[in-house]
Amino acid sequence: MKKIIFSLLILLAFAKGNAQILDPVKWTTKIEKKSATNYILTFNGIIEDNWHMYSQFTPEGGPLPLEVIFKNQKGNFNLVGKAKEGKTTTAYNDIFEVNETFFVKNAQIQQEISILNPKISKIEVDLNYQVCKESCINLEKKFSFTLPAAAKVDAEPMVIDTTKNVVATSKPEMNTADVEPISNAKETPTKPEKQKGLWSIFFIAFLSGFAALLTPCVFPMIPMTVSFFTKQSRNRAAGIRNAIIYAISIILIYVILGLLVTWIFGADALNALSTNVWFNIIFFILLVVFATSFLGAFEIMLPNSWATKVDRQADRGGIVGILFMALALAIVSFSCTGPIVGTLLVEAASKGGIAPIVGMFGFSLALALPFMLFAMFPGWLNSLPKSGGWLNTVKVILGFMELALAFKFLSNADLVLQLHLLEREVFLAIWIAIFGTLSLYLFGKITMPHDSPMTHISVGKLLLGLLTLTFTIYMIPGLWGAPLKLINAFPPPMEYSESPFGVGGSAGNSSATVLPDGAKLGPHQIVVFDDYEKGLAYAKMVNKPIMLDFTGFACVNCRKMENNVWSDSRILSILKNDVVLISLYVDDKRELPKGEQHISKTTGSEIETVGDKWADFMISKYKTNTQPLYVLTDLEGNSLNETTPTISYVGVDEYESWLKSGISAFQK
């Protein structure tokens, strides 16, 4: 008997030491009756130390956001608003270049529903989410809520892992006092990354404010406004005071605009809208309209009656009169400032949170400062350049910049839809055409409708023309696969190309002219397969070992490994020359053909998507659900590294040693 118990303990210890099916979030749920037809569903989760779980409001293009999916909603109940969340943290992710929002330690989600079908007895809910530490896990958990007859009833969750494998149906213990109360507010930490994002918005907005100042609608108003203050004020002190009030009024008007945008849409909704396909298309159209206006096709103006009414109020004098003077400036100059303000609000929306307010503060500060300073020191007016054709030149330059930025938003929509209509080469060709035409304009070879007659090119226009021409020439090698690091955040990624090797067919790899069937160029121009069977067939043909890369489109640590480890010359050489790389994406949402959809023999879950298929393969074969996961196999699928069959998030030296060990075993 003792031997049996001892053996069982040994097996238990072994199983515990080698188990890799991780489940870092433990859930409890409850349902509360709010009224005769309305109920509140609450999900409380305890997250293990050092792990974090992503919120619903993490934008597209970043890690996988939480999804709350109601399976039996149709005809049975309606959702009352979007699911609310408890306290979250927001930080800038420099891998995906988005502000990601996530839960730490505790997660709480609450959804109100309104019953339509009085006969319904259960609410079926799926939570799909991603949790990350050194590795990332995509989880799907199923919950069944029984509608209570009177007050509260706890629902028994059916816990499911990434591949819909049933793990348990019992509730874990939880101290609900540790869970933060539900609110729509987020905790925004004072992390350098987050501050960096807001500071960048502020400085871009500040520079945009100075650009708006140098337009025909605003610049001529400086001497007029300063003259008004100097003549109407009883003494110099009163003039300075009025100028300061005027500047503060300008700032208040634009900051209130930022507040209104954030309040109307909501900080989270604005962030979500900015990553939505249709809103990216709408932003593209808006920026094209703004650009066309700046180039001289027409003017975007607010109704003249608004300016007239506000101007009358400005005659009242005092603080109220000065406030209306600032409002009159905003209305009269709208044809020049409106497109810039609109562009700033669109760009700030991509940051979410208070970015629109920060952007409007930076813009208005740059716009207001000159009015205040020249009113305080009227003698400086003599040093101002005279109004003239150069003001329209500034406006036209801004038009070209708006047009170039517009295609970034169209590119975002194309990337999300994977239409391949605006691939890297097409995008770069458009930018080369835009900035090349701007160079011709600055050199005086073409003119716009509102340009003044020009007898010569000023030194300033010549230098600026040389700068834009240099930038245009710099972009041309991008058509042949050059990385273009100066503008890397704007064009589509290298992999999203019309030709995987760039125009001309090399992209720095002259030895490769045609990709194998089913292959594409992955990170760092590595030839990679995303289909196991095609990769296996190619590996047999070239007689090389296979490296399976279980990864995800939204796996941040997968990108870190690719950026920091795969980029090392030692690793890159091995991945390019010594193995056949097969990347299997566990979050690939493409549906499998109906004939391939099935119930997993290992997990008992439904395999419906390509991602389900590879996740089930990973769990059934390698007993783990984490990404990144790397496996070196022979041509029969057997692991080559006996002591360490799989490896995950490690450094360059350990990764190199593991690769060489497996390749050496294959060659024996």
Side-chain angles (χ1 to χ4, degrees):
M1 186 67 180
K2 288 182 179 180
K3 288 183 178 180
I4 294 174
I5 294 173
F6 181 76
S7 300
L8 287 173
L9 289 173
I10 293 288
L11 288 171
L12 182 61
F14 179 83
K16 184 177 180 181
N18 288 275
Q20 303 258 350
I21 306 296
L22 301 179
D23 185 13
V25 188
K26 306 302 179 188
W27 294 95
T28 59
T29 59
K30 66 178 178 180
I31 182 168
E32 298 175 88
K33 189 171 184 178
K34 184 178 180 182
S35 66
T37 58
N38 285 27
Y39 294 85
I40 305 266
L41 311 181
T42 302
F43 305 82
N44 290 322
I46 292 182
I47 305 170
E48 290 181 11
D49 289 345
N50 301 319
W51 289 85
H52 57 275
M53 179 184 115
Y54 290 103
S55 153
Q56 302 169 92
F57 304 116
T58 289
E60 290 181 24
L64 282 183
L66 167 74
E67 291 181 295
V68 185
I69 301 170
F70 291 84
K71 307 293 285 186
N72 60 334
Q73 178 183 347
K74 190 175 180 180
N76 289 322
F77 56 90
N78 284 332
L79 306 182
V80 181
K82 191 173 177 67
K84 296 180 181 179
E85 295 183 349
K87 187 167 67 175
T88 57
T89 298
T90 298
Y92 183 71
N93 185 319
D94 56 2
I95 299 295
F96 291 123
E97 297 183 335
V98 297
N99 280 331
E100 60 182 19
T101 303
F102 51 89
F103 300 93
V104 178
K105 293 187 178 180
N106 297 315
Q108 194 175 67
I109 301 114
Q110 222 175 55
Q111 176 68 62
E112 183 176 348
I113 62 169
S114 178
I115 301 299
L116 301 176
N117 178 10
K119 295 182 179 180
I120 186 175
S121 60
K122 288 184 179 293
I123 308 294
E124 305 292 338
V125 190
D126 285 2
L127 291 186
N128 293 340
Y129 56 91
Q130 186 178 72
V131 283
C132 290
K133 188 174 66 170
E134 290 182 354
S135 55
C136 293
I137 308 171
N138 303 332
L139 290 168
E140 177 180 309
K141 297 192 179 181
K142 295 181 181 293
F143 298 86
S144 180
F145 290 85
T146 301
L147 291 177
K152 299 180 182 178
V153 174
D154 278 355
E156 295 292 332
M158 182 180 293
V159 184
I160 309 296
D161 70 16
T162 312
T163 56
K164 307 181 183 72
N165 177 36
V166 178
V167 177
T169 57
S170 61
K171 291 194 308 178
E173 292 184 5
M174 179 176 184
N175 180 6
T176 55
D178 293 336
V179 179
E180 297 292 336
I182 288 289
S183 79
N184 286 323
K186 290 191 177 84
E187 175 193 358
T188 303
T190 57
K191 291 189 176 181
E193 294 86 352
K194 177 66 175 174
Q195 294 301 318
K196 182 181 176 182
L198 290 178
W199 276 112
S200 66
I201 282 288
F202 174 81
F203 283 120
I204 291 169
F206 192 77
L207 292 174
S208 301
F210 274 124
L213 196 70
L214 301 177
T215 57
C217 317
V218 182
F219 190 80
M221 297 185 71
I222 296 176
M224 293 169 55
T225 307
V226 171
S227 176
F228 173 84
F229 282 129
T230 53
K231 290 179 181 178
Q232 297 297 321
S233 302
R234 294 187 302 273
N235 51 54
R236 177 173 168 77
I240 292 173
R241 184 193 68 231
N242 291 340
I244 293 172
I245 295 172
Y246 181 69
I248 292 172
S249 300
I250 293 173
I251 293 171
L252 281 175
I253 288 167
Y254 285 100
V255 169
I256 288 170
L257 175 62
L259 279 167
L260 283 173
V261 169
T262 306
W263 177 70
I264 291 170
F265 292 100
D268 296 323
L270 196 62
N271 185 279
L273 290 180
S274 71
T275 57
N276 179 276
V277 170
W278 291 110
F279 275 86
N280 270 290
I281 293 173
I282 291 169
F283 292 159
F284 164 73
I285 295 170
L286 278 176
L287 292 184
V288 170
V289 171
F290 292 159
T292 309
S293 171
F294 270 160
L295 292 173
F298 54 85
E299 285 197 355
I300 302 172
M301 298 182 66
L302 295 175
N304 288 329
S305 59
W306 291 17
T308 304
K309 290 177 182 177
V310 171
D311 211 29
R312 287 179 192 152
Q313 296 296 324
D315 294 335
R316 294 170 57 179
I319 293 177
V320 174
I322 293 172
L323 178 61
F324 277 101
M325 276 186 65
L327 187 57
L329 170 70
I331 293 172
V332 171
S333 65
F334 184 80
S335 60
C336 291
T337 59
I340 300 174
V341 168
T343 305
L344 278 174
L345 286 173
V346 168
E347 183 62 25
S350 67
K351 303 295 182 185
I354 62 169
I357 301 167
V358 173
M360 288 300 93
F361 175 71
F363 175 84
S364 58
L365 183 64
L367 196 66
L369 273 176
F371 285 94
M372 183 184 74
L373 292 174
F374 282 109
M376 293 171 68
F377 307 100
W380 290 5
L381 285 173
N382 297 327
S383 62
L384 273 182
K386 293 181 180 179
S387 299
W390 67 273
L391 291 174
N392 192 68
T393 300
V394 172
K395 194 174 176 182
V396 170
I397 292 171
L398 290 174
F400 278 104
M401 301 298 287
E402 294 261 358
L403 191 60
L405 184 61
F407 283 94
K408 170 60 179 172
F409 290 96
L410 187 62
S411 173
N412 289 344
D414 184 60
L415 280 165
V416 172
L417 294 173
Q418 291 289 298
L419 297 177
H420 289 267
L421 298 176
L422 195 62
E423 293 174 316
R424 187 178 176 87
E425 293 90 345
V426 178
F427 183 96
L428 289 174
I430 291 170
W431 268 39
I432 289 167
I434 290 172
F435 286 97
T437 306
L438 175 57
S439 301
L440 292 175
Y441 171 76
L442 291 169
F443 290 138
K445 300 302 180 183
I446 59 175
T447 57
M448 292 297 167
H450 300 299
D451 283 334
S452 303
M454 185 173 58
T455 57
H456 65 279
I457 303 174
S458 67
V459 174
K461 287 183 74 172
L462 176 64
L463 293 175
L464 192 56
L466 289 171
L467 181 64
T468 56
L469 181 60
T470 302
F471 180 63
T472 304
I473 295 170
Y474 167 78
M475 286 190 289
I476 293 173
L479 298 173
W480 281 265
L484 304 182
K485 292 183 180 179
L486 288 178
I487 58 168
N488 194 43
F490 288 92
M494 297 286 286
E495 304 89 65
Y496 198 77
S497 299
E498 185 174 307
S499 169
F501 292 107
V503 177
S506 63
N509 187 1
S510 57
S511 62
T513 54
V514 179
L515 286 172
D517 178 41
K520 63 180 181 180
L521 282 184
H524 315 296
Q525 304 296 305
I526 302 169
V527 175
V528 59
F529 293 83
D530 59 8
D531 183 277
Y532 180 78
E533 296 301 328
K534 290 181 178 179
L536 176 61
Y538 179 72
K540 289 179 177 179
M541 185 176 71
V542 297
N543 193 34
K544 289 183 179 180
I546 294 168
M547 190 180 91
L548 295 179
D549 164 32
F550 291 98
T551 183
F553 295 111
C555 172
V556 64
N557 289 322
C558 303
R559 299 296 84 78
K560 286 181 179 179
M561 282 293 292
E562 292 163 6
N563 293 345
N564 302 329
V565 177
W566 287 16
S567 61
D568 185 274
S569 58
R570 294 169 290 168
I571 305 301
L572 195 55
S573 175
I574 294 173
L575 296 181
K576 282 188 172 183
N577 303 311
D578 301 332
V579 299
V580 173
L581 177 62
I582 303 177
S583 292
L584 305 176
Y585 290 84
V586 300
D587 56 0
D588 190 332
K589 299 299 183 184
R590 290 176 298 165
E591 276 201 6
L592 289 168
K594 292 296 181 184
E596 294 183 26
Q597 295 183 14
H598 62 282
I599 303 297
S600 168
K601 293 179 180 178
T602 304
T603 64
S605 60
E606 297 175 356
I607 307 302
E608 299 173 336
T609 67
V610 174
D612 290 342
K613 175 182 176 181
W614 301 134
D616 183 62
F617 176 39
M618 176 175 58
I619 285 184
S620 59
K621 180 83 173 177
Y622 301 107
K623 311 303 182 208
T624 184
N625 59 346
T626 64
Q627 302 90 47
L629 184 77
Y630 308 106
V631 189
L632 273 174
T633 76
D634 60 21
L635 301 179
E636 284 72 46
N638 302 311
S639 297
L640 291 169
N641 301 79
E642 290 186 7
T643 55
T644 313
T646 66
I647 202 168
S648 186
Y649 190 76
V650 295
V652 172
D653 292 338
E654 186 177 350
Y655 200 70
E656 181 189 24
S657 175
W658 179 80
L659 284 171
K660 287 183 175 179
S661 174
I663 293 168
S664 177
F666 178 82
Q667 293 171 346
K668 288 180 180 178

